[in-house]
Amino acid sequence: MSQKSEKNMAETNPEHSFIVLANRLPVDRCEDTWQAAPGGLVSALAPMVRAERGAWLGWTGGFDETIPPFEFDQMSLVPVPLTEAEHRTYYEGFSNGVLWPLYHDLIVTPQYHRTWWRAYEAINSRFAQAAVRSAAFGATIWVHDYHLQLVPHMIRLLRPDVRIGFFNHIPFPPVELFGQLPWRREVVEGLLGADVIGFQRNSDAENFRAAVRKFAVDADAPPPLIEAFPISIDTEAIRQAADSEAVARTATQIRRDLGDPDILMLGIDRLDYTKGIPHRLRAFDELLDDDLLSPQTTNFLQVAVPSREGIAAYQDLRDEVERLVGRINGRFATLGRGIVQYSHHSYSFEDTVALYLAADVLVVSSLRDGMNLVAKEFVTARRNRGGALVLSEFAGAADELEQATIVNPHDISGLKTGMHQAASLDTVQARERIAAMAATVEDHDVHHWAQRFLTALQPSAPLGPAMGKSATAHRDRAAQKVTSSD
């Protein structure tokens, strides 16, 4: 690594008052240097970590390497190492072969392997120990996402003095589904180590409360604050990009390359079975077949960012999407003009915003989604420009973006109708709807989300209804357990 951009943490105070734990560090490696990683979570939390001279703990993305803690952009970064075998069992296995499908309504069937569970326990313990070593007395530790659900309890047993927050970025399933997990009690107990447990939607928070009531070891000890904290985006960054001349030129070129269609529909997602990509393509196929949209004047641009390509379900999905794209183009394309443009690679932040500006309609047909930030980015980029958003009722964003055309993606006829209505909106109505949704997002941007969560996590903050005493008792019991074992 570049010695100019890093500073060995052995020369600094390793104890930090604010610590973020996530599966990945907020940086990507580029040859022998580090670069800031894109994403809303980084833009929200990095300024707070810098302001507090705090630490961010996570995996570097490389295998079988031990990298000492280093500083980047006034943040202390603490790498948590993984071997390739651990990544396969902890990340691809338990996190994404068990928890991801289970928490997304069993769209594919989870595989419950005990070796994966043991790897998940071991890596969670590694993260917890790294946090304990880095935390000052009374520190605030914010743990993120389903990869690290055991960490709060593990930290609590070792350090009853710290404040622990946990935020789940994906849905939390109904108790009837969650109950299938052989290690359900351990996961509930792991999360209950936190002082504040945050979810995307009220329904997710209620699902977890139900799991606590059914599976908590100590039924007389209600959990700490459990609440919905809907995540959002960096609206200022989106607006600046959307207003730049370079992005505007790219957007114009995108439409020109597609033959300047009258209507350009856009889907932009990770290639994941939760996103409902085949559903929207089938609906689009029927719109063309029923002459509700003209293949001479309409295009669909589907961007599918590669994701978890080592997992069989994702390979099967890619094959299905490519078959559908081929079938639609085989039926409706003409020489020199395709109908569906399919792109299976990543785009830069600026190019992504250009795609939003180029499109007339964004289709979000998620079968289950924690939030879906693409919908919020689209309406923010298109403020004062019009356009239309088709949004699945099963995405968390549907709770906030009420002016979107809300659809049930499992209902292909209803999805088709929603896509047709969005494509047919008059200019004035389209501008009014986009403006209203953009204003909602701006009032509740990613910085508002982070501040709201951290305010709730402060020791002086009130805990949830009828839960304050139980949360304190939970911490006291943990402290007693640690003391008795010394």
Side-chain angles (χ1 to χ4, degrees):
M1 302 307 146
S2 171
Q3 295 300 313
K4 294 181 179 180
S5 63
E6 300 176 16
K7 184 177 181 181
N8 194 301
M9 289 301 297
E11 301 173 3
T12 65
N13 183 356
E15 292 190 345
H16 302 279
S17 61
F18 181 60
I19 295 174
V20 169
L21 268 74
N23 181 60
R24 287 294 299 268
L25 287 173
V27 291
D28 291 326
R29 186 162 24 203
C30 182
E31 296 181 353
D32 64 342
T33 63
W34 298 100
Q35 295 180 344
L41 186 65
V42 175
S43 67
L45 298 183
M48 297 182 180
V49 176
R50 285 194 293 268
E52 298 292 334
R53 300 296 298 169
W56 190 308
L57 281 64
W59 176 49
T60 64
F63 299 123
D64 303 301
E65 59 185 6
T66 300
I67 299 175
F70 62 95
E71 288 200 354
F72 176 89
D73 195 18
Q74 303 177 56
M75 293 185 291
S76 298
L77 303 188
V78 182
V80 179
L82 287 180
T83 67
E84 188 170 2
E86 288 170 340
H87 181 266
R88 190 164 52 249
T89 52
Y90 143 76
Y91 180 78
E92 290 185 350
F94 196 82
S95 295
N96 292 305
V98 177
L99 295 177
W100 182 268
L102 180 66
Y103 284 28
H104 288 86
D105 293 354
L106 306 180
I107 296 172
V108 302
T109 303
Q111 302 176 49
Y112 301 116
H113 298 304
R114 287 170 288 182
T115 54
W116 290 359
W117 165 250
R118 288 193 289 270
Y120 186 78
E121 278 187 306
I123 300 306
N124 272 243
S125 177
R126 187 176 301 167
F127 270 86
Q129 292 173 35
V132 165
R133 289 193 298 267
S134 301
F137 184 84
T140 295
I141 301 176
W142 194 358
V143 185
H144 287 269
D145 225 0
Y146 63 105
H147 315 88
L148 304 176
Q149 291 177 114
L150 308 183
V151 167
H153 180 67
M154 291 174 169
I155 293 175
R156 176 65 66 216
L157 293 178
L158 297 170
R159 291 290 299 274
D161 59 287
V162 300
R163 297 287 292 183
I164 305 171
F166 180 90
F167 186 78
N168 198 59
H169 291 259
I170 67 173
F172 195 88
V175 69
E176 294 80 11
L177 296 185
F178 180 71
Q180 294 185 19
L181 182 67
W183 307 279
R184 58 202 185 186
R185 292 185 185 276
E186 290 89 337
V187 169
V188 169
E189 182 180 7
L191 292 173
L192 289 180
D195 297 286
V196 177
I197 307 170
F199 296 93
Q200 299 282 23
R201 310 180 81 170
N202 289 326
S203 57
D204 298 323
E206 184 51 46
N207 285 344
F208 180 68
R209 292 189 191 101
V212 171
R213 288 192 293 269
K214 188 164 186 177
F215 301 121
V217 175
D218 187 353
D220 296 326
L225 176 61
I226 300 169
E227 190 171 319
F229 297 85
I231 198 172
S232 193
I233 62 169
D234 186 345
T235 55
E236 181 62 27
I238 295 288
R239 284 197 305 269
Q240 288 182 2
D243 291 340
S244 75
E245 293 183 5
V247 169
R249 286 195 299 270
T250 302
T252 300
Q253 188 62 48
I254 290 170
R255 288 194 74 104
R256 184 179 297 124
D257 291 344
L258 293 172
D260 287 317
D262 292 344
I263 300 171
L264 176 57
M265 292 188 168
L266 173 67
I268 182 166
D269 319 81
R270 285 188 308 103
L271 186 61
D272 192 286
Y273 51 76
T274 66
K275 301 301 182 181
I277 298 173
H279 300 65
R280 76 184 64 147
L281 290 174
R282 292 189 182 97
F284 183 66
D285 186 16
E286 291 191 15
L287 285 169
L288 297 173
D289 196 41
D290 294 345
D291 292 324
L292 294 172
L293 292 177
S294 169
Q296 282 74 46
T297 60
T298 308
N299 278 81
F300 200 114
L301 174 56
Q302 177 60 57
V303 174
V305 178
S307 175
R308 301 167 188 157
E309 295 187 295
I311 299 177
Y314 290 79
Q315 298 167 357
D316 294 341
L317 173 64
R318 180 177 178 179
D319 291 343
E320 181 183 9
V321 169
E322 291 177 352
R323 282 195 302 270
L324 287 169
V325 170
R327 188 180 76 182
I328 295 171
N329 283 331
R331 296 182 65 205
F332 298 104
T334 58
L335 287 176
R337 187 177 191 281
I339 304 300
V340 179
Q341 185 73 27
Y342 174 65
S343 178
H344 183 242
H345 62 82
S346 302
Y347 284 80
S348 69
F349 171 72
E350 290 77 12
D351 286 347
T352 299
V353 176
L355 289 168
Y356 296 148
L357 298 187
D360 301 295
V361 178
L362 176 72
V363 183
V364 176
S365 52
S366 306
L367 307 181
R368 194 78 164 91
D369 226 338
M371 177 52 61
N372 195 281
L373 297 179
V374 167
K376 293 188 174 184
E377 291 175 351
F378 177 79
V379 299
T380 300
R382 295 209 57 97
R383 189 170 194 168
N384 301 322
R385 295 176 174 88
L389 171 63
V390 177
L391 180 58
S392 167
E393 65 182 272
F394 303 114
D399 291 347
E400 301 172 78
L401 306 183
E402 298 176 350
Q403 294 80 12
T405 301
I406 306 297
V407 295
N408 174 359
H410 298 281
D411 175 11
I412 300 299
S413 294
L415 176 56
K416 180 175 68 172
T417 299
M419 291 168 65
H420 183 248
Q421 289 175 348
S424 306
L425 276 180
D426 67 74
T427 302
V428 173
Q429 189 176 26
R431 284 182 178 271
E432 289 176 349
R433 288 189 178 191
I434 287 289
M437 290 186 284
T440 297
V441 177
E442 185 172 13
D443 289 343
H444 301 87
D445 67 3
V446 72
H447 305 293
H448 174 271
W449 164 78
Q451 289 287 358
R452 180 169 169 253
F453 188 98
L454 291 175
T455 297
L457 190 53
Q458 295 308 305
S460 59
L463 294 177
M467 293 183 180
K469 292 182 179 179
S470 64
T472 302
H474 182 78
R475 292 194 296 273
D476 290 345
R477 286 194 303 275
Q480 292 169 3
K481 185 173 183 179
V482 170
T483 302
S484 64
S485 64
D486 290 343

